[in-house]
Amino acid sequence: MKSKRYFNTTGFCMPERHYMIDPLRNQKIIFDLIEKTQYFTIHAPRQTGKTTLLHELAHRLNKEGNYISVVFSVESAGYRSITEEIANKKIINSLYSSSGQYLNKKNCPIPPEKYTKDLTLENYLIDWAISQTKPIVLLLDEIDSLYDDVLVSVLRQLRNGFQIRPKRFPSTVALVGLRDVREYKTKVRPSEVSLGSGSPFNIKAESILLGTFTKEEITELYSQHTKDTGQIFLKEVVDRIYELTGGQPWLVNAIAREIVVKILNEDFTKKITLDHVESAKENIIQRRDTHLDSLLDKLKESRVKNIVSAIINGDSLVYDNFNDDLRYVIDLGIIKDINNDIVFANEIYGEIIPRVLNFQLQKNIREQGTTSWYIKSNGKLDMDKLLKAFQEFYSENSEVWLERFDYKEAGPHLLLMAFLQRVINGGGRINREMAVGTGRTDLLIEFNGDKFVLELKLKRMPSARQKGLDQISRYLDTLGMTKGYLILFEIKPSSIIKWKTRLKWKKVSHQNKKITVVEM
């Protein structure tokens, strides 16, 4: 049976068209803040449901009849060269244009072209509030698209109006964007950061971070598809999708859509399997859909680069809850903090980020990356041969390549991952375990029924080899395995330590494990 609804991956969700979870299900706090005439911020990464929540909230408030509510975007004023005067006009035009989607004519503000006073956002909102009998709830989207004087001007006008609400100014204003209000200070000149207070928007009562889906919510979402079509997402399938996505709403919908529409061609009689989930993940990663592209674009920023490099290398950061770079990258949804472990936000991000970073390296690996060279007559992977070939390749190419590489600190790890990806593509998969402060990167490679454990470590200290042996032994214990490879990268240049002395290959026994130590 053809369903009228589908898994949405573009724009905000509408209940009559899309499978969706009620975006206001856990948001009692929002209604409490509105009732108390408070101002607050909502922030979350792109495509996590902010716009859907805003539309649902405005429509619900208007339907219940105690408030009048409008969602509007200020993005039209979001460029550096704009003047405050032009920005005010653009923002007011956006507000007026959007109000018609939510309100009847008598509740809308007057057309800006008929406004006779000085056209500022503050004046416009004052006159609109005075003309209404119900309090106004204003939901202001894309606030963090504004820069410099314009951002300061908007925040200042809202703060001025806060004092005369709710009779002469909107009762509640919510500022909505990718980042929390503390981040706005990075977009204005230092002299304008605080607006005379410790925060650029010191009238906010709360800062609300929208969360990801829980496993139960994914189950609820997918059960809507089952109800419409009879096609079931089994528990093991939901569990695996949760592992891959971390509950990130766009990914949750994208994986389901890829399986249902692309892989199974909307044949709802077909069973959804774990193999379908893995194929969907791979398709989405290889296609680099818009969501992933916008995420990956952030990798070019230096403050993102610092954190991402630390995760890939396992380097330590000075952990501070107010560390701006760290909080910024968490706000973007690229990473998460689990019990003080800083890791990529989900398995898909953890796989695509290294792949994207080493993509050019992978393309430049020519004949050495030919898969058939490393396959035994029985179809199994010869990991010893592969790593010896990489040792040679690394000694010949690494210094020249890494010198031009954007992520120099993580370069050795990414170069090996690129080599492995090139060889293993299509016949196996690489599972990565990376986190800030571990001092290493762990790889579990699966190929034609075999598993290989590789631990990658930079030789920053003389004790790196011994620590690496202890670490890979513990990692092998968690997997119930007894064999692995410890890969040690020398960080001193070849002018100090010559290649002929740094290239080593030795098999050792350590804590009842057989470890091949590969140095380069």
Side-chain angles (χ1 to χ4, degrees), residues 140-159:
L140 202 152
D141 202 5
E142 304 287 354
I143 182 64
D144 48 2
S145 66
L146 302 181
Y147 287 94
D148 297 330
D149 294 337
V150 171
L151 176 56
V152 172
S153 170
V154 169
L155 296 178
R156 184 169 278 145
Q157 290 179 79
L158 294 175
R159 197 174 71 172

PDB file of all heavy atoms in Angstrom, residues 140-159:
ATOM      1  N   LEU A 140      12.329  34.393  16.310  1.00  0.00           N
ATOM      2  CA  LEU A 140      13.237  35.052  15.383  1.00  0.00           C
ATOM      3  C   LEU A 140      14.342  34.075  14.971  1.00  0.00           C
ATOM      4  O   LEU A 140      15.236  33.771  15.751  1.00  0.00           O
ATOM      5  CB  LEU A 140      13.806  36.276  16.099  1.00  0.00           C
ATOM      6  CG  LEU A 140      14.364  37.427  15.318  1.00  0.00           C
ATOM      7  CD1 LEU A 140      14.221  38.703  16.132  1.00  0.00           C
ATOM      8  CD2 LEU A 140      15.832  37.181  15.029  1.00  0.00           C
ATOM      9  N   ASP A 141      14.263  33.576  13.732  1.00  0.00           N
ATOM     10  CA  ASP A 141      15.142  32.502  13.263  1.00  0.00           C
ATOM     11  C   ASP A 141      16.393  33.065  12.584  1.00  0.00           C
ATOM     12  O   ASP A 141      16.392  34.181  12.079  1.00  0.00           O
ATOM     13  CB  ASP A 141      14.372  31.616  12.280  1.00  0.00           C
ATOM     14  CG  ASP A 141      14.973  30.220  12.160  1.00  0.00           C
ATOM     15  OD1 ASP A 141      15.924  29.909  12.896  1.00  0.00           O
ATOM     16  OD2 ASP A 141      14.474  29.437  11.323  1.00  0.00           O
ATOM     17  N   GLU A 142      17.452  32.217  12.564  1.00  0.00           N
ATOM     18  CA  GLU A 142      18.729  32.546  11.894  1.00  0.00           C
ATOM     19  C   GLU A 142      19.390  33.791  12.504  1.00  0.00           C
ATOM     20  O   GLU A 142      20.054  34.555  11.807  1.00  0.00           O
ATOM     21  CB  GLU A 142      18.528  32.749  10.382  1.00  0.00           C
ATOM     22  CG  GLU A 142      17.890  31.584   9.662  1.00  0.00           C
ATOM     23  CD  GLU A 142      18.808  30.385   9.475  1.00  0.00           C
ATOM     24  OE1 GLU A 142      20.008  30.494   9.806  1.00  0.00           O
ATOM     25  OE2 GLU A 142      18.337  29.339   8.998  1.00  0.00           O
ATOM     26  N   ILE A 143      19.237  33.984  13.804  1.00  0.00           N
ATOM     27  CA  ILE A 143      19.799  35.173  14.447  1.00  0.00           C
ATOM     28  C   ILE A 143      21.312  35.225  14.289  1.00  0.00           C
ATOM     29  O   ILE A 143      21.916  36.296  14.164  1.00  0.00           O
ATOM     30  CB  ILE A 143      19.403  35.230  15.953  1.00  0.00           C
ATOM     31  CG1 ILE A 143      19.948  36.490  16.629  1.00  0.00           C
ATOM     32  CG2 ILE A 143      19.867  33.994  16.688  1.00  0.00           C
ATOM     33  CD1 ILE A 143      19.394  37.784  16.109  1.00  0.00           C
ATOM     34  N   ASP A 144      21.971  34.053  14.251  1.00  0.00           N
ATOM     35  CA  ASP A 144      23.429  34.064  14.173  1.00  0.00           C
ATOM     36  C   ASP A 144      23.950  34.250  12.748  1.00  0.00           C
ATOM     37  O   ASP A 144      25.141  34.098  12.489  1.00  0.00           O
ATOM     38  CB  ASP A 144      24.040  32.817  14.829  1.00  0.00           C
ATOM     39  CG  ASP A 144      23.380  31.531  14.388  1.00  0.00           C
ATOM     40  OD1 ASP A 144      22.468  31.590  13.543  1.00  0.00           O
ATOM     41  OD2 ASP A 144      23.769  30.461  14.885  1.00  0.00           O
ATOM     42  N   SER A 145      23.049  34.614  11.822  1.00  0.00           N
ATOM     43  CA  SER A 145      23.512  35.004  10.483  1.00  0.00           C
ATOM     44  C   SER A 145      23.910  36.475  10.448  1.00  0.00           C
ATOM     45  O   SER A 145      24.533  36.932   9.490  1.00  0.00           O
ATOM     46  CB  SER A 145      22.416  34.740   9.443  1.00  0.00           C
ATOM     47  OG  SER A 145      21.305  35.595   9.663  1.00  0.00           O
ATOM     48  N   LEU A 146      23.545  37.236  11.498  1.00  0.00           N
ATOM     49  CA  LEU A 146      23.816  38.676  11.522  1.00  0.00           C
ATOM     50  C   LEU A 146      25.237  38.966  12.009  1.00  0.00           C
ATOM     51  O   LEU A 146      25.803  38.213  12.790  1.00  0.00           O
ATOM     52  CB  LEU A 146      22.823  39.394  12.438  1.00  0.00           C
ATOM     53  CG  LEU A 146      21.338  39.224  12.105  1.00  0.00           C
ATOM     54  CD1 LEU A 146      20.491  40.013  13.090  1.00  0.00           C
ATOM     55  CD2 LEU A 146      21.038  39.661  10.666  1.00  0.00           C
ATOM     56  N   TYR A 147      25.780  40.110  11.561  1.00  0.00           N
ATOM     57  CA  TYR A 147      27.146  40.491  11.899  1.00  0.00           C
ATOM     58  C   TYR A 147      27.212  41.884  12.520  1.00  0.00           C
ATOM     59  O   TYR A 147      26.356  42.738  12.284  1.00  0.00           O
ATOM     60  CB  TYR A 147      28.029  40.517  10.641  1.00  0.00           C
ATOM     61  CG  TYR A 147      28.374  39.166  10.093  1.00  0.00           C
ATOM     62  CD1 TYR A 147      27.598  38.579   9.082  1.00  0.00           C
ATOM     63  CD2 TYR A 147      29.469  38.454  10.567  1.00  0.00           C
ATOM     64  CE1 TYR A 147      27.920  37.342   8.562  1.00  0.00           C
ATOM     65  CE2 TYR A 147      29.801  37.211  10.055  1.00  0.00           C
ATOM     66  CZ  TYR A 147      29.022  36.661   9.053  1.00  0.00           C
ATOM     67  OH  TYR A 147      29.347  35.431   8.541  1.00  0.00           O
ATOM     68  N   ASP A 148      28.290  42.111  13.253  1.00  0.00           N
ATOM     69  CA  ASP A 148      28.756  43.442  13.643  1.00  0.00           C
ATOM     70  C   ASP A 148      27.640  44.357  14.164  1.00  0.00           C
ATOM     71  O   ASP A 148      26.850  43.959  15.001  1.00  0.00           O
ATOM     72  CB  ASP A 148      29.508  44.098  12.477  1.00  0.00           C
ATOM     73  CG  ASP A 148      30.762  43.310  12.099  1.00  0.00           C
ATOM     74  OD1 ASP A 148      31.339  42.670  12.982  1.00  0.00           O
ATOM     75  OD2 ASP A 148      31.149  43.332  10.923  1.00  0.00           O
ATOM     76  N   ASP A 149      27.610  45.598  13.605  1.00  0.00           N
ATOM     77  CA  ASP A 149      26.664  46.605  14.100  1.00  0.00           C
ATOM     78  C   ASP A 149      25.220  46.151  13.995  1.00  0.00           C
ATOM     79  O   ASP A 149      24.384  46.518  14.828  1.00  0.00           O
ATOM     80  CB  ASP A 149      26.828  47.914  13.318  1.00  0.00           C
ATOM     81  CG  ASP A 149      28.176  48.571  13.553  1.00  0.00           C
ATOM     82  OD1 ASP A 149      28.778  48.285  14.603  1.00  0.00           O
ATOM     83  OD2 ASP A 149      28.608  49.351  12.693  1.00  0.00           O
ATOM     84  N   VAL A 150      24.916  45.374  12.950  1.00  0.00           N
ATOM     85  CA  VAL A 150      23.530  44.932  12.747  1.00  0.00           C
ATOM     86  C   VAL A 150      23.103  43.996  13.877  1.00  0.00           C
ATOM     87  O   VAL A 150      22.024  44.141  14.456  1.00  0.00           O
ATOM     88  CB  VAL A 150      23.370  44.254  11.372  1.00  0.00           C
ATOM     89  CG1 VAL A 150      22.005  43.595  11.261  1.00  0.00           C
ATOM     90  CG2 VAL A 150      23.566  45.273  10.255  1.00  0.00           C
ATOM     91  N   LEU A 151      23.955  43.037  14.208  1.00  0.00           N
ATOM     92  CA  LEU A 151      23.634  42.115  15.301  1.00  0.00           C
ATOM     93  C   LEU A 151      23.480  42.878  16.613  1.00  0.00           C
ATOM     94  O   LEU A 151      22.515  42.672  17.355  1.00  0.00           O
ATOM     95  CB  LEU A 151      24.733  41.049  15.426  1.00  0.00           C
ATOM     96  CG  LEU A 151      24.594  40.054  16.584  1.00  0.00           C
ATOM     97  CD1 LEU A 151      23.269  39.329  16.550  1.00  0.00           C
ATOM     98  CD2 LEU A 151      25.761  39.062  16.582  1.00  0.00           C
ATOM     99  N   VAL A 152      24.415  43.755  16.898  1.00  0.00           N
ATOM    100  CA  VAL A 152      24.347  44.549  18.127  1.00  0.00           C
ATOM    101  C   VAL A 152      23.073  45.389  18.149  1.00  0.00           C
ATOM    102  O   VAL A 152      22.382  45.484  19.169  1.00  0.00           O
ATOM    103  CB  VAL A 152      25.592  45.458  18.253  1.00  0.00           C
ATOM    104  CG1 VAL A 152      25.436  46.427  19.419  1.00  0.00           C
ATOM    105  CG2 VAL A 152      26.843  44.613  18.439  1.00  0.00           C
ATOM    106  N   SER A 153      22.741  45.998  17.009  1.00  0.00           N
ATOM    107  CA  SER A 153      21.554  46.850  16.914  1.00  0.00           C
ATOM    108  C   SER A 153      20.279  46.060  17.217  1.00  0.00           C
ATOM    109  O   SER A 153      19.417  46.510  17.980  1.00  0.00           O
ATOM    110  CB  SER A 153      21.476  47.469  15.522  1.00  0.00           C
ATOM    111  OG  SER A 153      20.235  48.104  15.321  1.00  0.00           O
ATOM    112  N   VAL A 154      20.155  44.882  16.622  1.00  0.00           N
ATOM    113  CA  VAL A 154      18.956  44.061  16.843  1.00  0.00           C
ATOM    114  C   VAL A 154      18.850  43.654  18.307  1.00  0.00           C
ATOM    115  O   VAL A 154      17.788  43.779  18.935  1.00  0.00           O
ATOM    116  CB  VAL A 154      18.968  42.813  15.921  1.00  0.00           C
ATOM    117  CG1 VAL A 154      17.882  41.829  16.342  1.00  0.00           C
ATOM    118  CG2 VAL A 154      18.763  43.225  14.468  1.00  0.00           C
ATOM    119  N   LEU A 155      19.953  43.181  18.885  1.00  0.00           N
ATOM    120  CA  LEU A 155      19.924  42.762  20.290  1.00  0.00           C
ATOM    121  C   LEU A 155      19.589  43.939  21.210  1.00  0.00           C
ATOM    122  O   LEU A 155      18.841  43.806  22.169  1.00  0.00           O
ATOM    123  CB  LEU A 155      21.269  42.149  20.686  1.00  0.00           C
ATOM    124  CG  LEU A 155      21.668  40.844  19.969  1.00  0.00           C
ATOM    125  CD1 LEU A 155      23.047  40.394  20.428  1.00  0.00           C
ATOM    126  CD2 LEU A 155      20.649  39.742  20.210  1.00  0.00           C
ATOM    127  N   ARG A 156      20.140  45.094  20.896  1.00  0.00           N
ATOM    128  CA  ARG A 156      19.897  46.278  21.718  1.00  0.00           C
ATOM    129  C   ARG A 156      18.432  46.719  21.636  1.00  0.00           C
ATOM    130  O   ARG A 156      17.821  47.091  22.655  1.00  0.00           O
ATOM    131  CB  ARG A 156      20.831  47.403  21.269  1.00  0.00           C
ATOM    132  CG  ARG A 156      20.736  48.647  22.126  1.00  0.00           C
ATOM    133  CD  ARG A 156      21.863  49.605  21.789  1.00  0.00           C
ATOM    134  NE  ARG A 156      23.098  49.241  22.469  1.00  0.00           N
ATOM    135  CZ  ARG A 156      24.313  49.385  21.954  1.00  0.00           C
ATOM    136  NH1 ARG A 156      24.463  49.855  20.747  1.00  0.00           N
ATOM    137  NH2 ARG A 156      25.379  49.057  22.662  1.00  0.00           N
ATOM    138  N   GLN A 157      17.861  46.691  20.432  1.00  0.00           N
ATOM    139  CA  GLN A 157      16.453  47.088  20.273  1.00  0.00           C
ATOM    140  C   GLN A 157      15.522  46.132  21.026  1.00  0.00           C
ATOM    141  O   GLN A 157      14.546  46.558  21.644  1.00  0.00           O
ATOM    142  CB  GLN A 157      16.084  47.131  18.786  1.00  0.00           C
ATOM    143  CG  GLN A 157      16.739  48.281  18.028  1.00  0.00           C
ATOM    144  CD  GLN A 157      16.375  48.281  16.561  1.00  0.00           C
ATOM    145  OE1 GLN A 157      15.283  48.722  16.181  1.00  0.00           O
ATOM    146  NE2 GLN A 157      17.254  47.758  15.720  1.00  0.00           N
ATOM    147  N   LEU A 158      15.849  44.837  20.988  1.00  0.00           N
ATOM    148  CA  LEU A 158      15.038  43.863  21.718  1.00  0.00           C
ATOM    149  C   LEU A 158      15.176  44.064  23.221  1.00  0.00           C
ATOM    150  O   LEU A 158      14.204  43.952  23.966  1.00  0.00           O
ATOM    151  CB  LEU A 158      15.457  42.441  21.336  1.00  0.00           C
ATOM    152  CG  LEU A 158      15.173  42.020  19.885  1.00  0.00           C
ATOM    153  CD1 LEU A 158      15.746  40.632  19.612  1.00  0.00           C
ATOM    154  CD2 LEU A 158      13.669  42.044  19.590  1.00  0.00           C
ATOM    155  N   ARG A 159      16.382  44.402  23.641  1.00  0.00           N
ATOM    156  CA  ARG A 159      16.590  44.629  25.071  1.00  0.00           C
ATOM    157  C   ARG A 159      15.851  45.881  25.539  1.00  0.00           C
ATOM    158  O   ARG A 159      15.282  45.908  26.635  1.00  0.00           O
ATOM    159  CB  ARG A 159      18.084  44.737  25.378  1.00  0.00           C
ATOM    160  CG  ARG A 159      18.370  44.563  26.856  1.00  0.00           C
ATOM    161  CD  ARG A 159      19.838  44.522  27.144  1.00  0.00           C
ATOM    162  NE  ARG A 159      20.459  45.831  26.968  1.00  0.00           N
ATOM    163  CZ  ARG A 159      21.718  46.090  27.305  1.00  0.00           C
ATOM    164  NH1 ARG A 159      22.477  45.145  27.803  1.00  0.00           N
ATOM    165  NH2 ARG A 159      22.219  47.300  27.131  1.00  0.00           N
TER     166      ARG A 159
END
